Amino acid sequence: SRESGFRNKAKMVVAGHIDAPALGILDTDGHGVDLTDCRLYPPAISACFPALAGFISTARIAPYDVPARRGELKYLLLTLAEHSGELMLRFVLRSQEPLARIRKHLPALRAALPGLRVVSANLQPEHKAVLEGEREIPLSHDEALTMRLNGMPIHLRPRSFFQTNTAIAAALYRQARDWVAEIDPPALWDLYCGVGGFALHCADGRREVTGIELSPEAIASACRSRDELGLPNLAFHAADATAHAQAAATLPPLVVVNPPRRGIGPALCRRLRESEVRHVVYSSCNAASLAHDIAELADFDLRQARLFDMFPHTGHYEVACLLERRETVGP
């Protein structure tokens, strides 16, 4: 990975005062630490911060004061589509109180940031360390930002998950695609598929590919990408990955899993172990849960693994593993 300018998103705590907002993080006393000059952000993101700070002052949106428990604006979440320069901006608010002023001054912000395509407000009324709430209010006509990886459109809605490092995410998808192409299964599942990155890369129009994701919003984005690419034999369903696998009479010969940090867990491991699955492609952001799950998948051998430096300067990384069912030797 590049060691600077690699992040495609900025999650900025908003602190300070209306006329002098600080965008960055909070110190141990709950006061703002400005990170607008952080070199992890590419110039296309860094250049937005002065306009965003000015917008907070113009629209009179009080930054949320954590120690005092007052104010409205908690976070600014900014995502960049690197291939186009287009942006998605989310205001994380304590309440709807600033919405009218945000709408009023939004045309001026768009004039200052011509790449701004998707804007929304997320309501997070609780006083706790949770980044966002359940309710998202669209503030723009467009409701999805299009990222492009390996020539494929990936559509991100405001609450969709996407990797922080576009170049390394593209390499991760290429690796999975190459493993699948080498094995060439007639069918596969992509469990925890999100907006469909692995499924879209592994679909060739010939094999049957199914993506499973709990978020209906993410599934809608995945279906849009599929339809734009004209990929037949590719289906997406909103469902719990473990429940879907347990309810199915049979499983395909290859399964891709890309779970959250907790891993896939013992129930799904057991279902995979007892199924007809021959290969598992496992993408993990937590080596500890990955190791635990591999130990649970006792009938599979680890054939290949590759580390992806998704988060330079940290101890965090993404790992992709190819697991193959162990051949049993008869008496």
Side-chain angles (χ1 to χ4, degrees):
S1 174
R2 302 193 304 268
E3 293 192 359
S4 64
F6 60 85
R7 287 186 63 91
N8 57 31
K9 64 184 71 172
K11 300 180 179 181
M12 309 297 275
V13 175
V14 182
H17 306 283
I18 287 180
D19 294 315
L23 309 182
I25 59 174
L26 298 180
D27 63 19
T28 54
D29 296 321
H31 300 128
V33 178
D34 192 283
L35 288 182
T36 56
D37 61 350
C38 178
R39 293 183 62 195
L40 299 185
Y41 303 121
I45 286 182
S46 297
C48 297
F49 294 143
L52 292 173
F55 180 81
I56 292 168
S57 301
T58 299
R60 310 309 290 170
I61 315 170
Y64 186 67
D65 186 325
V66 172
R69 301 194 178 196
R70 64 170 178 262
E72 289 294 336
L73 182 56
K74 295 184 173 183
Y75 299 95
L76 290 177
L77 308 179
L78 189 66
T79 303
L80 168 70
E82 294 182 64
H83 77 284
S84 66
E86 293 182 337
L87 298 157
M88 175 163 60
L89 172 64
R90 302 171 66 201
F91 297 90
V92 180
L93 305 170
R94 187 176 69 162
S95 75
Q96 297 187 58
E97 188 274 333
L99 282 180
R101 298 192 302 281
I102 290 175
R103 287 190 173 101
K104 176 183 177 181
H105 295 284
L106 196 53
L109 181 62
R110 285 186 172 278
L113 301 176
L116 193 56
R117 187 170 187 86
V118 181
V119 185
S120 67
N122 179 273
L123 300 186
Q124 207 297 77
E126 299 182 75
H127 180 79
K128 60 182 182 181
V130 175
L131 183 64
E132 60 186 68
E134 294 295 323
R135 186 178 178 191
E136 197 83 22
I137 301 173
L139 299 175
S140 60
H141 174 74
D142 293 301
E143 296 187 19
L145 180 70
T146 301
M147 314 288 276
R148 190 163 288 275
L149 277 81
N150 304 315
M152 290 193 175
I154 305 292
H155 300 291
L156 297 187
R157 292 171 181 258
R159 300 188 66 208
S160 297
F161 169 79
F162 188 74
Q163 297 285 3
T164 302
N165 191 324
T166 304
I168 301 302
L172 175 65
Y173 290 134
R174 289 195 303 270
Q175 179 63 81
R177 180 191 63 194
D178 292 347
W179 281 338
V180 169
E182 183 177 351
I183 297 165
D184 196 20
L188 68 84
W189 284 358
D190 177 9
L191 301 181
Y192 311 94
C193 72
V195 293
F198 285 108
L200 292 164
H201 278 78
C202 295
D204 61 359
R206 176 178 50 85
R207 68 174 58 95
E208 298 285 340
V209 177
T210 302
I212 305 296
E213 165 62 42
L214 191 59
S215 167
E217 186 175 80
I219 289 297
S221 296
C223 289
R224 179 179 170 185
S225 297
R226 174 202 61 198
D227 296 344
E228 287 183 9
L229 292 167
L231 289 170
N233 303 321
L234 173 55
F236 292 101
H237 304 289
D240 176 80
T242 301
H244 180 84
Q246 290 177 327
T250 60
L251 272 63
L254 189 148
V255 172
V256 178
V257 294
N258 183 30
R261 289 188 61 81
R262 66 176 182 273
I264 65 175
L268 184 52
C269 284
R270 183 169 56 253
R271 181 69 181 100
L272 293 173
R273 197 173 61 242
E274 296 171 353
S275 73
E276 308 82 359
V277 172
R278 301 291 305 167
H279 293 91
V280 175
V281 175
Y282 195 136
S283 175
S284 171
C285 60
N286 183 353
S289 61
L290 170 65
H292 188 272
D293 287 340
I294 289 178
E296 289 276 342
L297 293 167
D299 298 331
F300 292 81
D301 289 325
L302 178 60
R303 292 302 187 193
Q304 295 188 56
R306 187 175 180 185
L307 186 145
F308 295 83
D309 188 19
M310 194 76 72
F311 314 101
H313 312 291
T314 77
H316 299 282
Y317 44 82
E318 195 86 11
V319 181
C321 296
L322 175 61
L323 305 172
E324 183 178 55
R325 187 176 293 275
R326 186 178 305 114
E327 296 292 342
T328 58
V329 180

